[in-house]
Amino acid sequence: MPTNKEVRVRFAPSPTGDLHVGNIRTALFDWAYARHTGGKFIFRIEDTDRERVTDEYIAAALDTLRWLGLQWDEGPEVGGPFGPYMQSQRLDIYAEWAQKFLDQGDAYYCYCSSEELEARREAQRAANVAPGYDGKCRNLSPEELAAFLAEGRKPVVRMRMPDGHTTFTDLIRGEVSFDHNFVPDFVLVRGDGSPLYTLAVAVDDVMMKITHVLRGEDLLSSTPRQIRVYQAMGLSEAEYPEFAHLPFVMGQDNAKLSKRNGEVSIAWYRDAGYLPEAICNYLALLGWSPGDDREDVSREEIAQLFTVERVHSSPARFDMKKLEAINGDKIRALDLEDFLARVLPFLKRDDVVTGTEAELSVVRQALPLIQERIATLAEVTQMVKFLFVEDFVVDVDSAPKIADEQSQSVLKAALVALETLSDWSHEAIEAALRATLIEGLGLKPRIAFGGVRIAITGSHISPPLFESMELLGRERSLARIKASIA
Ligand code: GLU
């Protein structure tokens, strides 16, 4: 590959659902490689299967990439010199190439029905022969052809795979070789005229002048077929894109990560309050390392440091706890206004606030109290909602904890100490409660303050108590303590 050529990398999902962790790890590496090399990041939607790929999923895919900050240089919405970038809008191009391959003799019409193919595969299995197309329609006699046509059969277009093997150097796995005995003639176009992935992906990679294909290891075995298409398109070996197949992402249980063994949908992480920069940071470390043992990398650093040489060939293990820890770190690194902007959609979604100035001013005061205490943005709701609910109820888990005699007498003592307090600062509240409950009654802090916390916030998990009371205000605080004294 000549080094003066501009690097062009593509991310080419088939959105048949929400993009998952594996897709996004690929997208991130594609983006990072393009940014690192000063090349172009191309976003192509592989939507030839319009029964499974829907407009909603496509829109969600664009939205997810944008949310993650992986802005594409060419693709849907932004356009580019090699568009359209949706395969469903390129069907004529694939049909033309398929016709050309037929004309050149690289491809042929195959009239075998699926029942016939299945019966022959069965026989291959019985005879212990590698299953796959047996080449029956490669050289049909004029009589056989006439018979099929008379039956009205709709042929598929099949690529002729020559004997031999395909060898290429994968940038991550090194030299990889496929024996064509295991790569039978493959279908390019279905009987209804629609193109298959192998045709569309290879044609587009060539026509969009893609120089590097970085994608999941699950696609490694389709590479010899794609190379066969390049050959039929007239490319020389030096003109093929380079391939780099990224290692699998495994679940905790060492099985391939899937819906079954973990949360895979990026939309789920977004709803749960993971920050895009935390997801990028964590996914970057899944199969790649920045060259030292740092675990905190920004998107910019990923772009700056990313090289394919530092992608591992062994599978990476997805670790939810680590992602959570990184997310907590990224939350702590936010400045107040940024933090507020990020939590606001969650607080609105959960009906905690509507967004008035008065509400924002309370949230602004509460956020510094909880920034150290949460790992996801969605947790903010639970932490601050006590400041906004008027008809206040103690949560069901916590209510019994203040019902017993001792808790009740502590609450009564707390009420007496607070009712006479004129200064409602958190320092004064703390001093009064300590003097009465700890020094006066000799209680341990957990016993002294645990009940008050539940009375005030409705839960035993809350922001720091005295600050919470200051923020809630004198009247509401006293009313809540009174209400919890049965
Ligand atoms: N569209 C394919 C998929 O979503 C990936 C294409 C490619 O990267 O070669 O699995």
Side-chain angles (χ1 to χ4, degrees):
M1 178 90 9
T3 46
N4 56 357
K5 201 158 147 188
E6 180 187 62
V7 166
R8 294 177 55 82
V9 201
R10 88 307 194 270
F11 172 55
S14 309
T16 54
D18 285 326
L19 294 183
H20 54 75
V21 167
N23 296 133
I24 292 302
R25 202 262 320 244
T26 299
L28 176 66
F29 286 18
D30 285 329
W31 172 87
Y33 190 62
R35 291 292 166 268
H36 180 80
T37 54
K40 292 275 190 293
F41 176 49
I42 292 114
F43 187 9
R44 181 173 74 226
I45 301 286
E46 307 215 317
D47 60 340
T48 53
D49 181 355
R50 286 303 258 173
E51 277 179 17
R52 293 176 61 226
V53 178
T54 66
D55 286 342
E56 287 71 33
Y57 289 140
I58 294 173
L62 303 188
D63 189 43
T64 299
L65 247 66
R66 228 183 333 251
W67 176 68
L68 290 165
L70 307 181
Q71 187 53 54
W72 52 99
D73 304 309
E74 294 173 27
E77 294 178 352
V78 307
F82 302 99
Y85 294 88
M86 310 265 283
Q87 288 191 330
S88 59
Q89 294 169 16
R90 302 172 61 80
L91 299 177
D92 293 350
I93 299 174
Y94 312 131
E96 270 170 42
W97 280 105
Q99 188 56 52
K100 190 160 191 293
F101 301 161
L102 285 164
D103 297 343
Q104 291 170 178
D106 284 309
Y108 58 93
Y109 285 118
C110 166
Y111 294 86
C112 299
S113 69
S114 43
E115 295 76 25
E116 288 164 352
L117 291 172
E118 184 45 44
R120 271 153 40 209
R121 259 197 299 270
E122 198 50 56
Q124 285 170 329
R125 274 191 284 264
N128 246 333
V129 179
Y133 190 67
D134 54 9
K136 178 158 194 301
C137 292
R138 274 187 168 205
N139 304 297
L140 289 178
S141 66
E143 295 74 29
E144 288 170 309
L145 179 59
F148 284 141
L149 291 176
E151 279 179 44
R153 290 199 188 198
K154 289 233 179 313
V156 302
V157 177
R158 224 178 249 286
M159 185 65 104
R160 205 182 286 276
M161 208 61 198
D163 289 341
H165 37 272
T166 298
T167 302
F168 62 94
T169 304
D170 185 281
L171 296 176
I172 295 168
R173 333 199 79 74
E175 192 175 286
V176 185
S177 192
F178 288 89
D179 182 339
H180 292 184
N181 283 323
F182 302 99
V183 189
D185 293 356
F186 55 94
V187 178
L188 296 169
V189 182
R190 293 190 189 84
D192 65 3
S194 61
L196 270 99
Y197 159 71
T198 320
L199 172 63
V201 74
V203 164
D204 284 349
D205 285 343
V206 172
M207 297 197 68
M208 295 179 181
K209 301 202 181 320
I210 301 303
T211 61
H212 293 77
V213 173
L214 273 66
R215 61 180 178 187
E217 192 182 324
D218 50 327
L219 293 163
L220 182 66
S221 64
S222 65
T223 309
R225 292 187 200 86
Q226 286 164 35
I227 288 179
R228 176 70 186 99
V229 177
Y230 304 153
Q231 290 164 348
M233 291 176 83
L235 263 66
S236 69
E237 203 171 327
E239 295 169 309
Y240 303 165
E242 304 259 16
F243 286 94
H245 286 93
L246 308 172
F248 283 124
V249 180
M250 313 300 270
Q252 302 280 28
D253 56 359
N254 272 336
K256 206 181 150 205
L257 189 67
S258 70
K259 276 206 173 65
R260 199 184 40 73
N261 61 5
E263 277 307 334
V264 291
S265 141
I266 291 296
W268 183 90
Y269 290 96
R270 187 176 177 176
D271 284 349
Y274 286 82
L275 307 184
E277 58 266 48
I279 292 182
C280 288
N281 185 151
Y282 179 64
L283 292 185
L285 303 176
L286 271 186
W288 172 77
S289 69
D292 47 35
D293 52 13
R294 83 180 92 176
E295 302 224 309
D296 179 3
V297 278
S298 65
R299 249 184 322 248
E300 293 64 35
E301 287 169 313
I302 298 167
Q304 201 181 7
L305 299 169
F306 187 86
T307 60
V308 176
E309 289 73 45
R310 280 207 289 265
V311 176
H312 315 143
S313 56
S314 51
R317 175 130 8 101
F318 191 80
D319 179 350
M320 189 75 181
K321 283 269 164 291
K322 191 161 163 191
L323 170 56
E324 221 174 85
I326 289 177
N327 203 54
D329 289 343
K330 299 278 184 195
I331 286 177
R332 283 185 278 287
L334 298 174
D335 68 42
L336 181 59
E337 285 311 308
D338 195 2
F339 190 20
L340 178 65
R342 311 265 197 141
V343 298
L344 206 50
F346 289 87
L347 294 177
K348 286 183 180 168
R349 175 192 78 182
D350 299 338
D351 292 325
V352 177
V353 301
T354 56
T356 64
E357 263 316 309
E359 288 168 333
L360 292 194
S361 128
V362 176
V363 176
R364 214 175 255 119
Q365 295 172 71
L367 288 183
L369 305 178
I370 63 173
Q371 197 160 9
E372 293 291 326
R373 301 184 172 213
I374 57 170
T376 64
L377 296 174
E379 287 169 54
V380 172
T381 291
Q382 173 58 32
M383 285 287 198
V384 307
K385 74 168 189 265
F386 76 95
L387 292 165
F388 297 96
V389 279
E390 283 318 324
D391 45 356
F392 180 80
V393 269
V394 170
D395 77 32
V396 282
D397 293 337
S398 305
K401 296 193 180 121
I402 51 170
D404 60 286
E405 214 172 295
Q406 187 191 25
S407 305
Q408 288 287 311
S409 62
V410 173
L411 285 169
K412 281 177 198 153
L415 183 63
V416 173
L418 294 169
E419 265 179 328
T420 52
L421 203 62
S422 51
D423 170 11
W424 197 257
S425 67
H426 66 89
E427 293 92 345
I429 296 168
E430 177 168 5
L433 288 179
R434 280 191 189 281
T436 306
L437 304 179
I438 295 189
E439 281 132 44
L441 298 179
L443 297 169
K444 296 218 161 34
R446 196 175 54 82
I447 305 284
F449 303 137
V452 181
R453 180 187 303 281
I454 291 173
I456 294 292
T457 70
S459 170
H460 58 284
I461 303 161
S462 80
L465 177 61
F466 312 118
E467 282 85 348
S468 296
M469 292 172 76
E470 179 182 333
L471 208 49
L472 189 63
R474 180 193 174 90
E475 242 150 84
R476 285 157 90 202
S477 298
L478 294 179
R480 285 183 191 186
I481 295 174
K482 274 183 204 151
S484 67
I485 297 170

